[in-house]
Amino acid sequence: MSFWIAPDATPARVTLGVTSILTMATQYSQSTKNLPPVSYIKSLDIWMITCMVYVFAALLEFAIVYHVHYRRTISTVRGLITPTSTTNGSSQVTQGLGLAVPRLQRWQEAWLEFWRGDTAIDEASRVLFPLTYFSFVIGYFVLLTGSQEKGFLSRGNST
């Protein structure tokens, strides 16, 4: 949900992320408290660790978005990105790196434009995070139910 909150709302996004991490840690400790200790990793461990990684990645994504937003705000206020006039009279934004190869220039401009827009990172995350999470969920349950069925069939054949 934090991807839909504006980067200016730092307390809201940080509170949401930290609360989610603390909730995940509490759920993990409570769910493993009554389980017997084993030397191997359980499917519950995989599930909870992956969920924790996604929540932490969302917090990390906010840190990146905030950094880009802050850099853009500061550079606009201080006038670090200033328009310069070209020979034909049009205005163009001064950029730090000057690459002579046209293909690399297009890539550089696209990359700089992406990092200029803090909302572009949030918009990409709004799609990327759910897609990767739901693919994990589908893969997790396919592997989980597939291994149980395989174990059930092999026990049935041996008796």
Side-chain angles (χ1 to χ4, degrees):
M1 295 301 298
S2 69
F3 306 128
W4 280 270
I5 299 174
D8 291 337
T10 303
R13 285 182 82 157
V14 170
T15 302
L16 184 63
V18 170
T19 303
S20 298
I21 285 180
L22 292 174
T23 303
M24 292 296 302
T26 303
Q27 284 181 348
Y28 183 64
S29 66
Q30 290 298 318
S31 63
T32 57
K33 184 171 63 171
N34 296 327
L35 294 176
V38 293
S39 61
Y40 52 86
I41 191 165
K42 301 177 288 293
S43 60
L44 179 64
D45 296 333
I46 294 170
W47 177 264
M48 294 301 284
I49 289 170
T50 304
C51 290
M52 184 78 84
V53 165
Y54 269 93
V55 172
F56 183 74
L59 234 147
L60 188 63
E61 185 267 351
F62 169 65
I64 293 169
V65 165
Y66 184 76
H67 175 73
V68 170
H69 176 73
Y70 180 76
R71 262 186 38 207
R72 192 179 93 197
T73 305
I74 292 299
S75 66
T76 304
V77 168
R78 290 187 181 168
L80 295 177
I81 298 178
T82 57
T84 58
S85 63
T86 58
T87 56
N88 62 2
S90 66
S91 180
Q92 136 185 12
V93 174
T94 305
Q95 306 210 346
L97 299 173
L99 300 174
V101 181
R103 187 175 190 187
L104 288 176
Q105 276 183 324
R106 283 193 306 262
W107 180 84
Q108 176 196 12
E109 289 169 6
W111 182 253
L112 288 173
E113 185 62 33
F114 176 76
W115 283 103
R116 251 188 230 120
D118 47 0
T119 56
I121 301 168
D122 272 341
E123 288 170 1
S125 296
R126 290 174 193 168
V127 174
L128 185 67
F129 271 73
L131 283 178
T132 58
Y133 183 74
F134 286 128
S135 64
F136 162 73
V137 169
I138 290 169
Y140 177 82
F141 284 109
V142 165
L143 288 175
L144 185 68
T145 57
S147 65
Q148 287 178 351
E149 289 175 7
K150 197 182 294 183
F152 177 74
L153 292 175
S154 64
R155 275 187 255 130
N157 290 338
S158 63
T159 55

